[in-house]
């Protein structure tokens, strides 16, 4: 029988094996290395989901590179401005640098649009997106990812950093929700 995991009230079946993921991550690291040769590159990992992908991508990147981490947060301001988005923990100086956003998954693409809007205020030389997973059928965003590990169908996935209500991030493989 195919490998399954249970998280909270749901079951998931194996979708991408560890070896397949790691080989693809190597390819992505190689492409980035080639494209950013001699350029000041910052890999900007979007926490929490991209932590495992960013770690493997950085290890496979054979050259000098900055690795930085941010969290995207929405908070309700004290004024009547409503919801405000911010990048928490951005310490790297991005001015005139080439930024590659490292994401676990681009689904609607709305998170990435917000991140790019906020990053542009730091005046980087360029911004591109590197995502392990991309759901083309769900995409509504303005910025399409340039570097994509796998195009996947519009189904919920967990593992390799991705969670279902905070469980599943530690799995080495990626699993897909089994419909009830
Ligand atoms: P977007 O703004 O719709 O592109 O969603 C981006 C974020 O939603 C990702 O960074 C994930 O945290 C979360 N997300 C979207 N799809 C999935 C999924 O299939 N599994 C787990 N998290 C997901």
């Amino acid at each position: 029988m195919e490998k399954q995991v249970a998280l909270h009230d749901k079951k998931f079946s194996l979708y991408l094996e560890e070896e397949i993921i790691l080989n693809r991550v190597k390819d992505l690291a190689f492409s980035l290395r080639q494209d950013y040769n001699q350029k000041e590159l910052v890999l900007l990992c979007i926490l929490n989901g991209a932590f495992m992908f960013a770690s493997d991508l950085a290890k496979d990147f054979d050259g000098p590179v900055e690795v930085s981490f941010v969290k995207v947060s929405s908070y309700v301001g004290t004024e009547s401005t409503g919801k405000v988005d911010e990048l928490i923990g951005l310490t790297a100086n991005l001015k005139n640098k080439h930024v590659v956003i490292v994401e676990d998954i681009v689904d609607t693409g709305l998170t990435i649009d917000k991140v790019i809007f906020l990053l542009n205020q730091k005046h980087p030389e360029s911004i591109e997106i590197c995502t392990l997973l991309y759901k083309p059928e769900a995409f509504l965003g303005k910025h399409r990812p340039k570097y994509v590990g796998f195009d996947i169908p519009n189904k919920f996935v967990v593992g390799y950093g991705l969670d279902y209500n905070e469980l599943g991030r530690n799995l080495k493989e990626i699993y897909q929700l089994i419909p009830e």
Side-chain angles (χ1 to χ4, degrees):
M1 206 179 90
E2 65 182 350
K3 201 172 165 191
Q4 293 190 359
V5 291
L7 301 170
H8 298 296
D9 55 337
K10 308 247 182 268
K11 282 190 178 156
F12 298 82
S13 60
L14 183 59
Y15 180 59
L16 293 171
E17 286 184 16
E18 184 185 15
E19 195 187 342
I20 290 174
I21 299 169
L22 296 181
N23 282 336
R24 189 71 192 117
V25 174
K26 278 195 178 59
D27 294 343
L28 290 171
F30 186 77
S31 299
L32 289 170
R33 175 74 176 119
Q34 288 204 313
D35 292 357
Y36 290 89
N37 191 19
Q38 306 294 332
K39 289 183 179 158
E40 280 193 84
L41 173 62
V42 181
L43 293 178
L44 188 66
C45 169
I46 310 294
L47 296 172
N48 296 332
F51 81 98
M52 218 179 261
F53 174 41
S55 164
D56 287 333
L57 191 68
K59 280 188 274 181
D60 286 332
F61 188 93
D62 186 17
V65 66
E66 272 185 59
V67 185
S68 208
F69 303 85
V70 282
K71 218 170 164 149
V72 189
S73 119
S74 303
Y75 67 93
V76 179
T78 51
E79 305 289 309
S80 59
T81 47
K83 225 178 80 174
V84 184
D85 293 299
E86 61 171 356
L87 294 178
I88 297 179
L90 182 58
T91 49
N93 177 9
L94 302 183
K95 196 158 195 281
N96 302 328
K97 297 205 178 144
H98 296 271
V99 176
V100 170
I101 299 167
V102 180
E103 252 296 26
D104 50 356
I105 186 162
V106 174
D107 186 354
T108 63
L110 301 180
T111 304
I112 280 293
D113 282 355
K114 282 184 212 162
V115 171
I116 290 181
F117 172 79
L118 294 164
L119 283 180
N120 270 325
Q121 298 168 2
K122 309 284 179 195
H123 308 291
E125 180 70 26
S126 70
I127 303 178
E128 293 291 352
I129 304 157
C130 177
T131 185
L132 182 69
L133 305 173
Y134 175 48
K135 294 180 181 171
E137 294 159 32
F139 187 74
L140 302 167
K142 288 194 220 121
H143 304 91
R144 220 167 267 283
K146 178 167 181 185
Y147 302 93
V148 174
F150 304 91
D151 279 4
I152 64 166
N154 195 5
K155 290 186 188 158
F156 193 79
V157 288
V158 293
Y160 197 68
L162 290 139
D163 74 308
Y164 166 51
N165 289 346
E166 297 305 329
L167 292 184
R169 293 195 199 279
N170 59 315
L171 297 166
K172 292 189 180 83
E173 311 86 4
I174 291 175
Y175 293 78
Q176 203 171 51
L177 179 66
I178 302 173
E180 278 154 32

